[in-house]
Coordinates of all heavy atoms in Angstrom, one line a residue:
M1 N -6.3 8.1 3.7 CA -7.1 7.4 4.7 C -6.7 6.0 4.8 O -7.2 5.3 5.6 CB -8.6 7.6 4.5 CG -9.0 9.1 4.6 SD -10.7 9.5 4.6 CE -11.7 8.1 4.6
K2 N -5.8 5.6 4.0 CA -5.4 4.2 4.0 C -4.7 3.8 5.3 O -4.6 2.6 5.6 CB -4.6 3.7 2.8 CG -3.2 4.2 2.7 CD -2.5 3.6 1.4 CE -1.1 4.0 1.3 NZ -0.5 3.5 0.0
E3 N -4.2 4.8 6.0 CA -3.5 4.5 7.3 C -4.4 3.9 8.3 O -4.0 3.3 9.3 CB -2.8 5.8 7.8 CG -3.8 6.9 8.3 CD -4.3 7.8 7.2 OE1 -3.9 7.7 6.0 OE2 -5.0 8.8 7.6
F4 N -5.7 4.0 8.1 CA -6.7 3.3 9.0 C -6.8 1.8 8.7 O -7.5 1.1 9.5 CB -8.1 4.0 8.9 CG -8.0 5.4 9.3 CD1 -8.4 6.5 8.5 CD2 -7.7 5.8 10.6 CE1 -8.3 7.8 8.9 CE2 -7.7 7.1 11.1 CZ -8.0 8.1 10.2
V5 N -6.2 1.4 7.7 CA -6.3 -0.1 7.3 C -5.0 -0.7 7.9 O -3.9 -0.2 7.5 CB -6.4 -0.3 5.8 CG1 -6.3 -1.8 5.5 CG2 -7.7 0.3 5.3
V6 N -5.1 -1.7 8.6 CA -3.9 -2.4 9.2 C -3.5 -3.6 8.3 O -4.2 -4.6 8.3 CB -4.2 -2.9 10.6 CG1 -3.0 -3.6 11.2 CG2 -4.7 -1.8 11.5
I7 N -2.5 -3.4 7.5 CA -2.1 -4.4 6.6 C -1.7 -5.7 7.2 O -1.9 -6.8 6.7 CB -0.9 -3.8 5.7 CG1 -0.6 -4.8 4.5 CG2 0.4 -3.6 6.5 CD1 -1.6 -4.9 3.5
H8 N -1.2 -5.7 8.5 CA -0.9 -6.9 9.2 C -2.0 -7.8 9.4 O -1.9 -9.0 9.7 CB -0.1 -6.5 10.4 CG 1.2 -5.8 10.2 ND1 2.3 -6.5 9.7 CD2 1.5 -4.6 10.3 CE1 3.3 -5.6 9.5 NE2 2.8 -4.4 9.8
D9 N -3.3 -7.3 9.4 CA -4.4 -8.1 9.6 C -4.6 -9.0 8.4 O -5.4 -10.0 8.5 CB -5.7 -7.2 9.7 CG -5.7 -6.5 11.0 OD1 -4.9 -6.8 12.0 OD2 -6.5 -5.5 11.1
F10 N -4.0 -8.7 7.3 CA -4.2 -9.5 6.1 C -3.0 -10.5 5.8 O -3.2 -11.5 5.1 CB -4.4 -8.6 4.8 CG -5.7 -7.9 4.9 CD1 -5.7 -6.6 5.4 CD2 -6.8 -8.4 4.4 CE1 -6.9 -5.9 5.5 CE2 -8.0 -7.7 4.4 CZ -8.1 -6.5 5.0
L11 N -1.9 -10.2 6.3 CA -0.7 -11.0 6.0 C -0.8 -12.5 6.5 O -1.5 -12.7 7.5 CB 0.6 -10.4 6.6 CG 0.8 -8.9 6.1 CD1 2.1 -8.4 6.8 CD2 0.9 -8.9 4.6
V12 N -0.2 -13.4 5.8 CA -0.4 -14.8 6.1 C 0.9 -15.5 6.4 O 2.0 -15.0 6.0 CB -1.1 -15.5 4.9 CG1 -2.5 -15.0 4.7 CG2 -0.3 -15.5 3.6
S13 N 0.9 -16.6 7.0 CA 2.0 -17.4 7.3 C 1.9 -18.7 6.5 O 0.8 -19.0 6.0 CB 2.2 -17.7 8.8 OG 1.1 -18.6 9.2
E14 N 3.0 -19.4 6.4 CA 2.9 -20.7 5.7 C 1.9 -21.7 6.3 O 1.4 -22.6 5.6 CB 4.3 -21.3 5.6 CG 5.0 -21.5 6.9 CD 6.5 -21.7 6.8 OE1 7.2 -20.7 6.4 OE2 7.0 -22.8 7.0
A15 N 1.6 -21.5 7.6 CA 0.7 -22.4 8.3 C -0.7 -22.3 7.8 O -1.5 -23.2 7.9 CB 0.7 -22.1 9.8
V16 N -1.1 -21.1 7.2 CA -2.5 -20.9 6.8 C -2.7 -21.1 5.3 O -3.9 -21.1 4.9 CB -3.0 -19.6 7.3 CG1 -3.0 -19.4 8.8 CG2 -2.3 -18.4 6.6
V17 N -1.7 -21.2 4.5 CA -1.9 -21.3 3.0 C -2.3 -22.7 2.5 O -2.7 -22.8 1.4 CB -0.7 -20.8 2.3 CG1 -0.4 -19.3 2.6 CG2 0.5 -21.6 2.5
G18 N -2.2 -23.7 3.4 CA -2.5 -25.0 2.9 C -1.3 -25.8 2.4 O -0.2 -25.3 2.5
D19 N -1.6 -26.9 1.8 CA -0.6 -27.7 1.2 C -0.2 -27.3 -0.2 O -1.0 -27.3 -1.1 CB -1.1 -29.2 1.2 CG 0.0 -30.2 0.7 OD1 1.2 -29.8 0.7 OD2 -0.4 -31.3 0.4
W20 N 1.1 -26.9 -0.3 CA 1.7 -26.5 -1.6 C 2.9 -27.4 -1.9 O 3.8 -26.9 -2.5 CB 2.0 -25.0 -1.6 CG 0.8 -24.2 -1.7 CD1 0.0 -23.8 -0.6 CD2 0.2 -23.6 -2.8 NE1 -1.1 -23.0 -1.1 CE2 -0.9 -22.9 -2.5 CE3 0.6 -23.7 -4.2 CZ2 -1.7 -22.2 -3.4 CZ3 -0.2 -23.0 -5.1 CH2 -1.3 -22.3 -4.7
D21 N 2.9 -28.6 -1.6 CA 4.0 -29.5 -1.9 C 5.3 -29.0 -1.5 O 6.3 -29.0 -2.3 CB 3.9 -29.9 -3.4 CG 2.7 -30.7 -3.7 OD1 2.2 -31.5 -2.9 OD2 2.2 -30.5 -4.9
G22 N 5.5 -28.5 -0.3 CA 6.7 -28.0 0.2 C 7.0 -26.5 -0.2 O 8.1 -26.0 0.2
Q23 N 6.1 -25.9 -0.9 CA 6.3 -24.5 -1.3 C 5.5 -23.5 -0.5 O 5.3 -22.4 -0.9 CB 6.0 -24.3 -2.8 CG 7.0 -25.1 -3.7 CD 6.7 -24.8 -5.1 OE1 5.5 -25.0 -5.6 NE2 7.7 -24.3 -5.8
E24 N 5.0 -23.9 0.7 CA 4.2 -23.1 1.5 C 4.8 -21.8 1.9 O 4.1 -20.7 1.9 CB 3.8 -23.9 2.8 CG 2.9 -25.1 2.6 CD 3.6 -26.3 2.1 OE1 4.9 -26.3 2.1 OE2 3.0 -27.3 1.8
E25 N 6.1 -21.8 2.2 CA 6.8 -20.6 2.6 C 6.8 -19.6 1.4 O 6.5 -18.4 1.6 CB 8.2 -20.8 3.1 CG 8.9 -19.6 3.5 CD 10.3 -19.9 4.1 OE1 10.7 -21.1 4.2 OE2 11.0 -18.9 4.5
L26 N 7.1 -20.1 0.2 CA 7.1 -19.3 -1.0 C 5.8 -18.7 -1.3 O 5.6 -17.5 -1.6 CB 7.7 -20.1 -2.2 CG 7.7 -19.4 -3.5 CD1 8.6 -18.1 -3.5 CD2 8.1 -20.3 -4.6
V27 N 4.8 -19.5 -1.2 CA 3.4 -19.1 -1.4 C 3.0 -18.0 -0.4 O 2.4 -17.0 -0.8 CB 2.4 -20.3 -1.4 CG1 1.0 -19.8 -1.3 CG2 2.6 -21.2 -2.6
A28 N 3.3 -18.2 0.8 CA 3.0 -17.2 1.8 C 3.7 -15.9 1.5 O 3.1 -14.8 1.6 CB 3.3 -17.7 3.2
E29 N 5.0 -15.9 1.1 CA 5.8 -14.8 0.8 C 5.1 -14.0 -0.4 O 5.0 -12.8 -0.4 CB 7.2 -15.1 0.5 CG 8.0 -15.5 1.7 CD 9.4 -16.0 1.3 OE1 9.8 -15.9 0.1 OE2 10.1 -16.5 2.2
N30 N 4.7 -14.8 -1.4 CA 4.1 -14.2 -2.6 C 2.8 -13.5 -2.3 O 2.5 -12.4 -2.8 CB 4.0 -15.2 -3.7 CG 5.3 -15.6 -4.3 OD1 6.3 -14.9 -4.2 ND2 5.3 -16.7 -5.1
L31 N 2.0 -14.2 -1.5 CA 0.7 -13.6 -1.1 C 1.0 -12.3 -0.3 O 0.3 -11.3 -0.6 CB -0.1 -14.5 -0.2 CG -1.1 -15.5 -0.9 CD1 -1.7 -16.5 0.1 CD2 -2.2 -14.7 -1.6
N32 N 1.9 -12.3 0.6 CA 2.2 -11.1 1.4 C 2.8 -10.0 0.5 O 2.5 -8.8 0.7 CB 3.2 -11.5 2.5 CG 2.5 -12.3 3.6 OD1 1.2 -12.2 3.7 ND2 3.2 -13.0 4.4
E33 N 3.5 -10.4 -0.5 CA 4.0 -9.4 -1.5 C 2.8 -8.7 -2.2 O 2.8 -7.5 -2.4 CB 5.0 -10.0 -2.4 CG 5.6 -8.9 -3.4 CD 6.6 -9.4 -4.3 OE1 7.1 -10.6 -4.2 OE2 7.0 -8.7 -5.3
I34 N 1.9 -9.5 -2.6 CA 0.7 -9.0 -3.2 C 0.0 -8.0 -2.3 O -0.4 -6.9 -2.7 CB -0.3 -10.1 -3.7 CG1 0.4 -11.0 -4.8 CG2 -1.6 -9.5 -4.3 CD1 -0.4 -12.3 -5.1
Y35 N -0.2 -8.4 -1.0 CA -0.9 -7.5 -0.1 C -0.1 -6.2 0.1 O -0.7 -5.2 0.0 CB -1.0 -8.2 1.3 CG -2.1 -9.3 1.4 CD1 -1.7 -10.6 1.8 CD2 -3.4 -9.0 1.2 CE1 -2.7 -11.6 1.9 CE2 -4.4 -10.0 1.3 CZ -4.0 -11.2 1.7 OH -5.0 -12.2 1.8
H36 N 1.1 -6.3 0.3 CA 2.0 -5.1 0.4 C 1.9 -4.2 -0.8 O 1.9 -3.0 -0.7 CB 3.4 -5.4 0.8 CG 3.6 -5.7 2.3 ND1 3.5 -4.8 3.2 CD2 3.8 -6.9 2.9 CE1 3.7 -5.3 4.4 NE2 3.9 -6.6 4.3
T37 N 2.1 -4.8 -2.0 CA 2.1 -4.0 -3.2 C 0.8 -3.3 -3.4 O 0.7 -2.1 -3.8 CB 2.4 -5.0 -4.4 OG1 3.7 -5.6 -4.2 CG2 2.5 -4.2 -5.7
L38 N -0.3 -4.0 -3.2 CA -1.7 -3.4 -3.4 C -1.8 -2.3 -2.4 O -2.3 -1.2 -2.8 CB -2.7 -4.5 -3.2 CG -4.2 -4.0 -3.3 CD1 -4.4 -3.5 -4.8 CD2 -5.1 -5.2 -3.1
Y39 N -1.4 -2.5 -1.2 CA -1.5 -1.4 -0.2 C -0.7 -0.2 -0.5 O -1.1 0.9 -0.5 CB -1.1 -2.0 1.2 CG -1.2 -1.0 2.3 CD1 -2.4 -0.9 3.0 CD2 -0.2 -0.1 2.7 CE1 -2.6 0.0 4.1 CE2 -0.3 0.8 3.7 CZ -1.5 0.9 4.4 OH -1.7 1.8 5.4
D40 N 0.6 -0.5 -1.0 CA 1.5 0.6 -1.4 C 0.9 1.4 -2.6 O 1.1 2.6 -2.6 CB 2.9 0.1 -1.7 CG 3.6 -0.4 -0.4 OD1 3.2 -0.1 0.7 OD2 4.6 -1.1 -0.6
Y41 N 0.3 0.7 -3.5 CA -0.1 1.4 -4.7 C -1.4 2.1 -4.5 O -1.8 3.0 -5.3 CB -0.4 0.3 -5.8 CG 0.9 -0.2 -6.5 CD1 0.8 -1.2 -7.5 CD2 2.2 0.3 -6.2 CE1 1.9 -1.6 -8.1 CE2 3.3 -0.2 -6.8 CZ 3.2 -1.2 -7.8 OH 4.3 -1.6 -8.4
A42 N -2.2 1.8 -3.5 CA -3.5 2.4 -3.2 C -3.2 3.9 -2.9 O -2.2 4.2 -2.2 CB -4.2 1.8 -2.1
E43 N -4.1 4.8 -3.4 CA -3.9 6.2 -3.2 C -4.1 6.5 -1.7 O -4.8 5.7 -1.0 CB -4.8 7.0 -4.0 CG -6.3 6.7 -3.9 CD -6.8 5.6 -4.7 OE1 -6.0 4.9 -5.4 OE2 -8.0 5.3 -4.7
E44 N -3.4 7.5 -1.2 CA -3.5 7.8 0.2 C -4.9 8.1 0.8 O -5.2 7.8 1.9 CB -2.5 9.0 0.5 CG -1.1 8.7 0.3 CD -0.5 7.7 1.3 OE1 -0.9 7.6 2.4 OE2 0.3 6.9 0.8
D45 N -5.7 8.7 -0.1 CA -7.1 9.0 0.4 C -8.1 8.0 0.0 O -9.3 8.3 0.1 CB -7.4 10.4 -0.2 CG -7.5 10.4 -1.7 OD1 -7.1 9.4 -2.4 OD2 -8.1 11.4 -2.3
I46 N -7.7 6.8 -0.3 CA -8.7 5.7 -0.5 C -9.5 5.5 0.7 O -9.0 5.5 1.8 CB -8.0 4.4 -1.0 CG1 -9.0 3.4 -1.6 CG2 -7.1 3.8 0.1 CD1 -8.3 2.2 -2.2
E47 N -10.8 5.2 0.5 CA -11.7 4.9 1.6 C -11.2 3.6 2.3 O -11.0 2.6 1.6 CB -13.1 4.8 1.1 CG -13.7 6.1 0.7 CD -14.0 7.0 1.8 OE1 -14.3 6.6 3.0 OE2 -13.8 8.2 1.6
P48 N -11.1 3.5 3.6 CA -10.7 2.3 4.2 C -11.6 1.1 3.9 O -11.0 0.0 3.7 CB -10.8 2.6 5.7 CG -10.7 4.1 5.8 CD -11.3 4.6 4.5
E49 N -12.9 1.3 3.7 CA -13.7 0.2 3.4 C -13.4 -0.4 2.0 O -13.4 -1.6 1.8 CB -15.2 0.6 3.4 CG -15.7 1.1 4.7 CD -15.3 2.5 5.0 OE1 -15.1 3.3 4.0 OE2 -15.3 2.9 6.2
V50 N -13.1 0.5 1.1 CA -12.7 0.1 -0.3 C -11.4 -0.7 -0.2 O -11.3 -1.8 -0.8 CB -12.6 1.3 -1.2 CG1 -12.0 0.9 -2.6 CG2 -14.0 1.9 -1.4
L51 N -10.4 -0.2 0.5 CA -9.1 -0.9 0.5 C -9.3 -2.2 1.2 O -8.7 -3.2 0.8 CB -8.1 0.0 1.3 CG -6.7 -0.5 1.4 CD1 -6.1 -0.9 0.0 CD2 -5.7 0.5 2.0
N52 N -10.1 -2.3 2.3 CA -10.3 -3.6 2.9 C -10.9 -4.6 2.0 O -10.5 -5.8 1.9 CB -11.2 -3.4 4.2 CG -10.5 -3.0 5.4 OD1 -9.4 -3.5 5.7 ND2 -11.0 -2.0 6.1
Q53 N -11.9 -4.2 1.2 CA -12.5 -5.1 0.2 C -11.5 -5.5 -0.9 O -11.4 -6.7 -1.2 CB -13.7 -4.4 -0.5 CG -14.9 -4.3 0.3 CD -16.1 -3.7 -0.5 OE1 -16.2 -4.0 -1.7 NE2 -16.9 -3.0 0.2
L54 N -10.6 -4.6 -1.3 CA -9.6 -4.9 -2.3 C -8.6 -5.9 -1.7 O -8.2 -6.9 -2.4 CB -8.9 -3.7 -2.8 CG -9.8 -2.8 -3.7 CD1 -9.1 -1.5 -4.0 CD2 -10.3 -3.4 -5.0
L55 N -8.2 -5.7 -0.5 CA -7.2 -6.6 0.1 C -7.9 -8.0 0.3 O -7.2 -9.0 0.2 CB -6.7 -6.0 1.4 CG -5.8 -4.8 1.3 CD1 -5.6 -4.1 2.6 CD2 -4.4 -5.2 0.7
A56 N -9.1 -8.0 0.7 CA -9.8 -9.3 0.8 C -9.9 -10.1 -0.5 O -9.8 -11.3 -0.5 CB -11.2 -9.1 1.4
L57 N -9.9 -9.4 -1.6 CA -9.9 -10.0 -2.9 C -8.6 -10.8 -3.2 O -8.6 -11.7 -4.0 CB -10.2 -9.0 -4.0 CG -11.6 -8.5 -4.1 CD1 -11.6 -7.3 -5.1 CD2 -12.6 -9.6 -4.5
V58 N -7.5 -10.4 -2.6 CA -6.2 -11.1 -2.8 C -6.4 -12.6 -2.5 O -6.1 -13.4 -3.3 CB -5.1 -10.4 -2.0 CG1 -3.8 -11.2 -2.1 CG2 -4.9 -9.0 -2.5
W59 N -6.8 -12.9 -1.3 CA -7.0 -14.3 -0.9 C -8.0 -15.0 -1.8 O -7.7 -16.0 -2.3 CB -7.5 -14.3 0.6 CG -7.6 -15.7 1.1 CD1 -8.8 -16.5 1.0 CD2 -6.6 -16.6 1.6 NE1 -8.5 -17.7 1.5 CE2 -7.2 -17.8 1.9 CE3 -5.3 -16.4 1.9 CZ2 -6.5 -18.8 2.5 CZ3 -4.6 -17.4 2.5 CH2 -5.2 -18.6 2.8
E60 N -9.1 -14.3 -2.0 CA -10.2 -14.9 -2.9 C -9.7 -15.3 -4.3 O -10.0 -16.3 -4.8 CB -11.4 -14.0 -3.0 CG -12.1 -13.8 -1.7 CD -13.2 -12.8 -1.8 OE1 -13.7 -12.5 -2.9 OE2 -13.5 -12.2 -0.7
N61 N -8.9 -14.4 -4.8 CA -8.4 -14.6 -6.2 C -7.2 -15.5 -6.3 O -7.0 -16.1 -7.4 CB -8.1 -13.2 -6.9 CG -9.4 -12.5 -7.3 OD1 -10.0 -12.9 -8.3 ND2 -9.8 -11.5 -6.5
W62 N -6.4 -15.5 -5.3 CA -5.1 -16.1 -5.5 C -4.8 -17.5 -4.8 O -4.0 -18.3 -5.3 CB -3.9 -15.2 -5.1 CG -3.7 -14.2 -6.1 CD1 -4.1 -12.8 -6.1 CD2 -3.0 -14.3 -7.3 NE1 -3.7 -12.2 -7.2 CE2 -3.0 -13.1 -8.0 CE3 -2.4 -15.4 -7.9 CZ2 -2.4 -12.9 -9.3 CZ3 -1.8 -15.3 -9.2 CH2 -1.8 -14.0 -9.8
I63 N -5.5 -17.8 -3.7 CA -5.2 -18.9 -2.9 C -5.3 -20.2 -3.7 O -4.5 -21.1 -3.4 CB -5.9 -19.0 -1.6 CG1 -5.2 -20.0 -0.6 CG2 -7.4 -19.3 -1.8 CD1 -3.8 -19.7 -0.3
G64 N -6.1 -20.4 -4.6 CA -6.3 -21.6 -5.3 C -5.5 -21.7 -6.7 O -5.6 -22.6 -7.4
Q65 N -4.8 -20.6 -7.0 CA -4.1 -20.5 -8.3 C -2.7 -21.1 -8.2 O -1.9 -20.7 -7.4 CB -4.0 -19.0 -8.7 CG -5.3 -18.3 -8.8 CD -6.1 -18.9 -9.9 OE1 -5.6 -19.3 -11.0 NE2 -7.4 -19.0 -9.7
D66 N -2.4 -22.1 -9.1 CA -1.1 -22.7 -9.1 C 0.0 -21.7 -9.4 O 1.1 -21.9 -8.9 CB -1.1 -23.8 -10.2 CG -1.9 -25.0 -9.9 OD1 -2.2 -25.2 -8.7 OD2 -2.4 -25.7 -10.8
A67 N -0.3 -20.7 -10.1 CA 0.7 -19.6 -10.5 C 1.2 -18.9 -9.3 O 2.3 -18.3 -9.3 CB 0.1 -18.6 -11.5
L68 N 0.5 -19.0 -8.1 CA 0.9 -18.3 -6.9 C 2.3 -18.7 -6.5 O 3.1 -17.9 -5.9 CB -0.1 -18.5 -5.8 CG 0.1 -17.7 -4.5 CD1 0.2 -16.2 -4.8 CD2 -1.0 -18.0 -3.6
A69 N 2.7 -19.9 -6.8 CA 4.0 -20.4 -6.4 C 5.1 -19.9 -7.3 O 6.3 -20.0 -7.0 CB 4.1 -22.0 -6.3
E70 N 4.8 -19.4 -8.5 CA 5.7 -19.0 -9.5 C 5.7 -17.6 -9.9 O 6.4 -17.1 -10.7 CB 5.6 -19.9 -10.7 CG 5.7 -21.4 -10.4 CD 5.3 -22.2 -11.6 OE1 4.8 -21.7 -12.6 OE2 5.3 -23.5 -11.5
I71 N 4.8 -16.8 -9.3 CA 4.5 -15.4 -9.8 C 5.7 -14.5 -9.5 O 6.4 -14.7 -8.5 CB 3.3 -14.9 -9.1 CG1 2.8 -13.6 -9.8 CG2 3.4 -14.7 -7.6 CD1 1.4 -13.1 -9.4
E72 N 6.0 -13.7 -10.4 CA 7.1 -12.7 -10.4 C 6.6 -11.4 -9.8 O 5.4 -11.0 -10.0 CB 7.7 -12.5 -11.7 CG 8.2 -13.8 -12.4 CD 9.5 -14.3 -11.7 OE1 10.3 -13.5 -11.2 OE2 9.7 -15.6 -11.7
S73 N 7.5 -10.6 -9.3 CA 7.2 -9.3 -8.8 C 6.5 -8.4 -9.8 O 5.6 -7.6 -9.5 CB 8.4 -8.6 -8.2 OG 8.8 -9.3 -7.0
S74 N 7.0 -8.5 -11.1 CA 6.4 -7.6 -12.1 C 5.0 -8.0 -12.4 O 4.1 -7.1 -12.6 CB 7.3 -7.7 -13.4 OG 7.3 -9.1 -13.9
D75 N 4.7 -9.3 -12.3 CA 3.3 -9.7 -12.5 C 2.4 -9.3 -11.3 O 1.2 -8.9 -11.5 CB 3.2 -11.3 -12.6 CG 3.9 -11.7 -13.9 OD1 3.8 -11.0 -14.9 OD2 4.5 -12.8 -13.9
I76 N 3.0 -9.3 -10.1 CA 2.3 -8.9 -8.9 C 1.9 -7.4 -9.1 O 0.8 -6.9 -8.9 CB 3.1 -9.1 -7.7 CG1 3.1 -10.6 -7.4 CG2 2.5 -8.3 -6.5 CD1 4.0 -11.0 -6.2
S77 N 2.9 -6.6 -9.5 CA 2.7 -5.2 -9.8 C 1.6 -4.9 -10.8 O 0.7 -4.1 -10.5 CB 4.0 -4.6 -10.2 OG 3.9 -3.2 -10.5
D78 N 1.7 -5.6 -11.9 CA 0.7 -5.5 -12.9 C -0.7 -5.8 -12.4 O -1.7 -5.1 -12.7 CB 1.0 -6.4 -14.1 CG 2.2 -5.9 -14.9 OD1 2.7 -4.8 -14.7 OD2 2.7 -6.7 -15.7
W79 N -0.8 -6.9 -11.7 CA -2.1 -7.4 -11.2 C -2.7 -6.3 -10.2 O -3.9 -6.0 -10.3 CB -2.0 -8.7 -10.5 CG -3.4 -9.3 -10.1 CD1 -4.2 -10.0 -10.8 CD2 -4.0 -9.1 -8.8 NE1 -5.4 -10.3 -10.1 CE2 -5.2 -9.8 -8.9 CE3 -3.6 -8.5 -7.6 CZ2 -6.1 -9.9 -7.8 CZ3 -4.5 -8.6 -6.5 CH2 -5.7 -9.3 -6.6
C80 N -1.9 -5.8 -9.3 CA -2.3 -4.8 -8.3 C -2.7 -3.5 -9.0 O -3.8 -2.9 -8.7 CB -1.2 -4.5 -7.3 SG -0.9 -5.9 -6.2
Q81 N -2.0 -3.1 -10.0 CA -2.4 -1.9 -10.7 C -3.7 -2.1 -11.5 O -4.5 -1.2 -11.5 CB -1.3 -1.5 -11.7 CG 0.0 -0.9 -11.0 CD 1.1 -0.7 -12.0 OE1 1.1 -1.0 -13.2 NE2 2.2 0.0 -11.5
N82 N -3.9 -3.2 -12.1 CA -5.1 -3.5 -12.8 C -6.3 -3.6 -11.8 O -7.4 -3.0 -12.1 CB -5.0 -4.9 -13.5 CG -6.2 -5.2 -14.3 OD1 -6.6 -4.4 -15.1 ND2 -6.8 -6.4 -14.1
L83 N -6.1 -4.2 -10.7 CA -7.2 -4.2 -9.7 C -7.6 -2.8 -9.2 O -8.8 -2.5 -9.2 CB -6.8 -5.1 -8.5 CG -7.8 -5.2 -7.4 CD1 -9.1 -5.9 -7.9 CD2 -7.2 -6.0 -6.2
L84 N -6.6 -2.0 -8.9 CA -6.9 -0.7 -8.5 C -7.6 0.2 -9.6 O -8.6 0.9 -9.4 CB -5.7 0.0 -8.0 CG -5.2 -0.4 -6.6 CD1 -3.7 0.1 -6.4 CD2 -6.1 0.1 -5.5
A85 N -7.1 0.0 -10.8 CA -7.7 0.7 -11.9 C -9.1 0.3 -12.3 O -9.9 1.1 -12.8 CB -6.8 0.6 -13.2
N86 N -9.4 -0.9 -12.0 CA -10.7 -1.5 -12.4 C -11.6 -1.9 -11.2 O -12.4 -2.8 -11.2 CB -10.5 -2.7 -13.3 CG -9.9 -2.3 -14.6 OD1 -10.4 -1.6 -15.4 ND2 -8.6 -2.8 -14.8
R87 N -11.3 -1.3 -10.0 CA -11.9 -1.7 -8.8 C -13.4 -1.7 -8.8 O -14.0 -2.6 -8.1 CB -11.4 -0.8 -7.6 CG -12.0 0.6 -7.7 CD -11.4 1.5 -6.6 NE -10.1 1.9 -7.1 CZ -9.3 2.8 -6.4 NH1 -9.7 3.3 -5.3 NH2 -8.2 3.1 -6.9
D88 N -14.0 -0.9 -9.6 CA -15.5 -0.8 -9.6 C -16.1 -2.2 -10.1 O -17.2 -2.5 -9.7 CB -16.0 0.3 -10.5 CG -15.7 1.7 -9.9 OD1 -15.4 1.8 -8.7 OD2 -15.7 2.6 -10.7
Q89 N -15.4 -2.9 -10.9 CA -15.9 -4.2 -11.4 C -15.9 -5.3 -10.2 O -16.6 -6.2 -10.3 CB -14.9 -4.8 -12.5 CG -14.9 -4.0 -13.7 CD -13.9 -4.6 -14.7 OE1 -14.0 -5.8 -14.9 NE2 -13.0 -3.8 -15.2
Y90 N -15.0 -5.1 -9.2 CA -14.8 -6.1 -8.2 C -15.4 -5.8 -6.9 O -15.6 -6.7 -6.1 CB -13.3 -6.3 -8.0 CG -12.6 -6.7 -9.3 CD1 -11.8 -5.7 -10.0 CD2 -12.6 -8.0 -9.8 CE1 -11.2 -6.1 -11.2 CE2 -12.0 -8.3 -11.0 CZ -11.2 -7.3 -11.6 OH -10.6 -7.7 -12.8
L91 N -15.8 -4.6 -6.6 CA -16.2 -4.2 -5.3 C -17.7 -4.5 -5.2 O -18.5 -4.3 -6.1 CB -16.0 -2.7 -5.0 CG -14.5 -2.3 -5.0 CD1 -14.4 -0.8 -4.7 CD2 -13.8 -3.1 -3.9
T92 N -18.1 -4.9 -4.0 CA -19.5 -5.0 -3.7 C -20.0 -3.8 -3.0 O -19.3 -3.1 -2.3 CB -19.7 -6.2 -2.8 OG1 -19.0 -6.1 -1.6 CG2 -19.3 -7.5 -3.4
E93 N -21.3 -3.5 -3.1 CA -21.9 -2.3 -2.5 C -22.0 -2.5 -1.0 O -22.2 -3.5 -0.4 CB -23.2 -2.1 -3.1 CG -23.1 -1.9 -4.6 CD -22.9 -0.5 -5.1 OE1 -23.4 0.4 -4.4 OE2 -22.3 -0.3 -6.1

C-alpha cells in the first residue's frame, strides 16, 4: 500500500533547507536520500498513514543536525532500518 504515498511530496531542494554555509545542495541531496531509502525499505503493505508519519519524521529529526552535511549512505541505511524496526516508539496515534 506504500504506492499510495507520493515520495515527491517530501523531497526538498536546496532552497528550502536553510543556510548551511554553502552546503545546501549536499544537505538537500542527503535529506532526499534519507527519504528515498526509508520509502524503499518500507514494506509494500505498510499503511499509507504510517509511512507518511515516518517520512515526516525525517525532516523533524534531521534538519537541525550538523551531521546532515556529512552523513554517509551506510549511516542513512542504518537510521532508516532502525526507524522502521522501532516505529511504534515514534508514531503518534
Side-chain angles (χ1 to χ4, degrees):
M1 296 189 7
K2 76 178 180 182
E3 68 271 8
F4 295 118
V5 175
V6 180
I7 188 67
H8 296 286
D9 290 346
F10 292 92
L11 301 181
V12 297
S13 69
E14 56 198 67
V16 299
V17 297
D19 182 17
W20 285 84
D21 296 326
Q23 294 184 304
E24 294 81 5
E25 184 177 357
L26 176 61
V27 166
E29 287 175 8
N30 288 345
L31 269 174
N32 289 336
E33 183 177 348
I34 296 170
Y35 284 122
H36 278 289
T37 302
L38 183 59
Y39 184 88
D40 290 345
Y41 285 176
E43 57 275 8
E44 292 298 322
D45 63 347
I46 191 170
E47 290 292 325
E49 300 82 22
V50 171
L51 183 53
N52 276 315
Q53 284 186 35
L54 292 172
L55 289 166
L57 287 173
V58 171
W59 181 268
E60 293 173 24
N61 282 285
W62 282 104
I63 195 55
Q65 300 295 323
D66 291 337
L68 188 53
E70 301 170 359
I71 194 166
E72 301 288 330
S73 292
S74 61
D75 295 324
I76 290 172
S77 177
D78 291 346
W79 186 84
C80 291
Q81 289 174 351
N82 184 53
L83 180 62
L84 286 166
N86 299 294
R87 70 183 81 175
D88 292 341
Q89 296 178 52
Y90 302 102
L91 296 178
T92 58
E93 303 269 329

